[in-house]
Amino acid sequence: MLVHNSGALTKGILLAVTFLIVLVLMFLPLFEGENALKAADRLFNSISKYSSQFIPTLQEKVNAFMGVDVNVNLKLKSGDMAQRAARILGSAGATATAEGEKVKVNGDLGKVLTSALNDSYAMYFNNDSELQSRYGFEGKEVLYVWWNILKEFDKDLKKQGKFKAASFVSEVIKRGVEVSFNYFGIKPKSARDNAFILTASLIFYVIYTLWWGIAILYIFEGIGLEMKAGHKKEV
């Protein structure tokens, strides 16, 4: 290999080697038994979860639906889910009768949604045992059944022309049940409390991205490779 600039080549090789050393270190379990990528992913998920806490706001909004009686028919995915749905709805104060995959429900919409939000709130803080003791099966399964229940509520309420109620049910699904289900097992953390590590991570990301590019640039300069504009040929 012909060396045109030994100084530039040395810098490039040094930067490339240190880049690869850091890359190897990033895949070692140096952060509480996790590698850097998993630790960073856990941190960002924790901060994302903290910023997705909408349940207290929903619990305030649900007061507008207290005393609103509804009669809905649910069609669930299996007879077993229908039985679980009836148990959950019964715990929420509704009358629920399961027949095969179908459940007939009569009850106070506000109380039903309050129960769904209370279960979601417990699971937001990873309190699976509370739901297990209440219903007899795992917390994530409870939320999955709630998700199916409320999806059917949304459909039937729309058929009945009760669009305001259906809209709020949909909001409870998206901002309550789904958030708690998807983030289960993750501890919520405030971005403000982790400002230093967030800033450091961002700075490191920018520097590390440039690091490899500059290494290649120096290596190419060292061996005499450079980019030049092409000459325009005229006929």
Side-chain angles (χ1 to χ4, degrees):
M1 180 177 66
L2 185 62
V3 177
H4 285 259
N5 187 330
S6 59
L9 182 60
T10 300
K11 288 179 183 178
I13 292 173
L14 181 62
L15 285 170
V17 170
T18 52
F19 177 92
L20 294 174
I21 290 173
V22 172
L23 183 63
V24 171
L25 291 174
M26 287 170 61
F27 282 94
L28 295 178
L30 302 177
F31 301 88
E32 299 180 3
E34 295 179 329
N35 63 41
L37 299 179
K38 287 185 177 180
D41 186 56
R42 176 167 49 81
L43 174 63
F44 291 126
N45 281 336
S46 295
I47 291 169
S48 175
K49 180 175 182 176
Y50 184 90
S51 66
S52 301
Q53 172 57 296
F54 305 114
I55 295 175
T57 302
L58 294 171
Q59 287 173 325
E60 292 177 7
K61 289 183 177 181
V62 80
N63 292 326
F65 297 92
M66 285 295 184
V68 177
D69 288 327
V70 291
N71 289 281
V72 292
N73 295 298
L74 318 181
K75 188 177 186 305
L76 301 174
K77 295 184 177 181
S78 67
D80 179 63
M81 181 178 286
Q83 292 295 330
R84 292 189 174 194
R87 187 187 314 172
I88 289 172
L89 288 164
S91 179
T95 300
T97 306
E99 295 181 4
E101 299 175 353
K102 297 180 180 180
V103 183
K104 293 182 179 180
V105 185
N106 172 257
D108 186 318
L109 180 60
K111 289 181 179 179
V112 169
L113 295 178
T114 294
S115 184
L117 288 170
N118 288 341
D119 288 349
S120 298
Y121 192 76
M123 287 294 284
Y124 178 87
F125 291 102
N126 306 315
N127 194 356
D128 177 72
S129 59
E130 181 179 326
L131 272 64
Q132 280 188 318
S133 62
R134 185 179 301 154
Y135 302 112
F137 47 98
E138 292 184 358
K140 287 198 76 172
E141 181 63 24
V142 173
L143 289 190
Y144 180 63
V145 176
W146 266 124
W147 187 86
N148 283 277
I149 289 171
L150 296 180
K151 281 288 186 180
E152 290 298 304
F153 261 74
D154 181 33
K155 289 179 186 177
D156 207 326
L157 289 171
K158 285 176 180 174
K159 289 179 182 178
Q160 297 176 33
K162 298 178 179 179
F163 298 109
K164 183 178 179 180
S167 177
F168 184 64
V169 168
S170 180
E171 188 177 1
V172 169
I173 294 170
K174 294 174 182 176
R175 306 182 80 185
V177 176
E178 288 182 357
V179 168
S180 295
F181 184 92
N182 293 332
Y183 282 110
F184 178 72
I186 298 170
K187 183 179 178 181
K189 293 181 180 180
S190 166
R192 180 180 297 176
D193 295 339
N194 293 272
F196 175 78
I197 186 64
L198 281 174
T199 303
S201 299
L202 179 60
I203 293 172
F204 173 78
Y205 174 78
V206 173
I207 292 174
Y208 198 62
T209 303
L210 294 172
W211 194 331
W212 182 252
I214 294 172
I216 297 300
L217 184 66
Y218 275 128
I219 289 173
F220 280 7
E221 182 181 340
I223 61 177
L225 291 177
E226 56 183 332
M227 295 182 66
K228 293 182 178 180
H231 296 289
K232 183 179 178 181
K233 293 183 179 180
E234 295 185 5
V235 179

